[in-house]
Amino acid sequence: MTETAVRIFDIMACNVYWDFDGSPLPREQHKFLVSFYPTKGVPTPELIDRIVARGPGGYQVEFTNQLFTPANTDGYIYDRTLDYYWYMVNLSTGFMPEGEYTIEVTCTDGTVLTRSRTQRQDSTEALVSAYRDNRQRMLDSFTPSGRGRLSEGTALTGLECSWSTLKELAGQDAYYIYRLAEGGSAREFDTQNLTWWDNIFMQRIRGGDVAAGLNRGGVTVPEELKPDTTYAYFVEVTDANVQSETNICIFQPHQVFTTP
């Protein structure tokens, strides 16, 4: 197999609780995601002809081979730190039922790849209920937050961000993923150009940390931030640190701060 051959790394088919401030989209959603190993020398989207996701009851949706943006919520994202692409589509169709979900990838050379997983519902009910009951307490716990400017003299490398977890507030285990980018709102947050993110999936696979992200209540950002720049971050709550084992993702509101 050549380095440019398309190979599926993993997939997601999971419910999403979309709690971004000011979003016109419904809170209860569903998403499909398929990630690929790097295709050295050739951008993976040039090797993809079609991606289709299928679910219970004859449900079917096709991914669009385009750049993913907050406006279209459908397309591919490039992770420059790992040199790989993944495709994602967020669907405003409410939570989807339990059952088997399959993603089928047709490559430009005619090769067809498939991967399936079984989505469960119990963790959606447990995490979303715990989050709704403790939402304001979680939002109040974020540091930094409040759209303020960090204190003069704050180091631009090693910024510490923290929050309360559902384990602390409700006794509910969950995993946490942190993403940081320049911008002052969810609309300005560029998923294609993250300053840094806490990739618990790779920590699990590469580092062998089976508990990566579990009940994590904070991170230290290793990247040097720009001075006098506004940043936004959000923390995703999930029930797993393996893509194909994830059943629910909770997207919490963005927290905004400006560096000195």
Side-chain angles (χ1 to χ4, degrees):
M1 181 176 291
T2 67
E3 287 189 322
T4 57
V6 177
R7 295 178 296 150
I8 294 175
F9 177 75
D10 208 350
I11 69 168
M12 295 179 77
C14 67
N15 291 325
V16 174
Y17 190 77
W18 188 275
D19 199 20
F20 289 159
D21 284 338
S23 173
L25 300 174
R27 278 181 165 75
E28 295 188 4
Q29 300 183 27
H30 188 269
K31 81 171 179 181
F32 292 103
L33 180 152
V34 54
S35 55
F36 297 96
Y37 286 95
T39 48
K40 298 295 184 180
V42 182
T44 304
E46 295 182 8
L47 304 173
I48 300 295
D49 180 57
R50 187 174 186 239
I51 303 177
V52 179
R54 299 184 176 89
Y59 184 84
Q60 178 172 307
V61 64
E62 186 166 347
F63 293 70
T64 305
N65 202 350
Q66 64 183 2
L67 193 71
F68 182 99
T69 70
N72 61 37
T73 64
D74 173 18
Y76 58 79
I77 297 168
Y78 176 65
D79 188 329
R80 66 183 186 279
T81 63
L82 298 171
D83 189 31
Y84 76 18
Y85 287 83
W86 73 89
Y87 283 73
M88 184 165 64
V89 56
N90 288 88
L91 304 160
S92 302
T93 50
F95 292 158
M96 296 285 279
E98 279 193 342
E100 184 174 83
Y101 290 82
T102 299
I103 295 180
E104 179 184 275
V105 179
T106 302
C107 305
T108 54
D109 65 0
T111 302
V112 178
L113 310 170
T114 62
R115 187 75 65 89
S116 299
R117 72 157 310 235
T118 299
Q119 179 180 311
R120 304 297 184 188
Q121 200 70 14
D122 53 350
S123 56
T124 291
E125 296 169 358
L127 261 67
V128 172
S129 177
Y131 176 71
R132 284 172 172 163
D133 289 345
N134 293 279
R135 178 182 184 274
Q136 194 58 53
R137 294 171 69 192
M138 294 184 76
L139 295 184
D140 291 343
S141 74
F142 278 104
T143 301
S145 64
R147 307 191 69 87
R149 178 179 289 270
L150 300 181
S151 301
E152 292 297 327
T154 299
L156 297 181
T157 303
L159 177 71
E160 294 185 359
C161 298
S162 63
W163 55 87
S164 294
T165 67
L166 290 177
K167 183 70 171 181
E168 300 169 54
L169 301 176
Q172 178 67 53
D173 286 327
Y175 297 82
Y176 296 81
I177 306 170
Y178 171 102
R179 294 178 175 87
L180 173 72
E182 292 183 35
S185 66
R187 183 172 295 277
E188 294 177 5
F189 191 94
D190 186 358
T191 306
Q192 304 283 351
N193 191 28
L194 296 180
T195 300
W196 182 73
W197 73 296
D198 186 26
N199 191 340
I200 67 174
F201 304 112
M202 296 309 297
Q203 291 167 22
R204 168 74 183 262
I205 293 172
R206 286 186 172 178
D209 182 2
V210 297
L214 179 62
N215 300 323
R216 184 171 290 170
V219 297
T220 300
V221 178
E223 300 296 323
E224 182 177 4
L225 306 184
K226 298 176 182 178
D228 195 25
T229 302
T230 298
Y231 288 88
Y233 70 90
F234 76 93
V235 177
E236 176 183 349
V237 187
T238 79
D239 67 329
N241 58 11
V242 176
Q243 289 180 346
S244 53
E245 296 177 6
T246 303
N247 299 288
I248 176 66
C249 299
I250 299 172
F251 293 159
Q252 299 186 79
H254 290 72
Q255 305 300 318
V256 178
F257 64 88
T258 301
T259 54

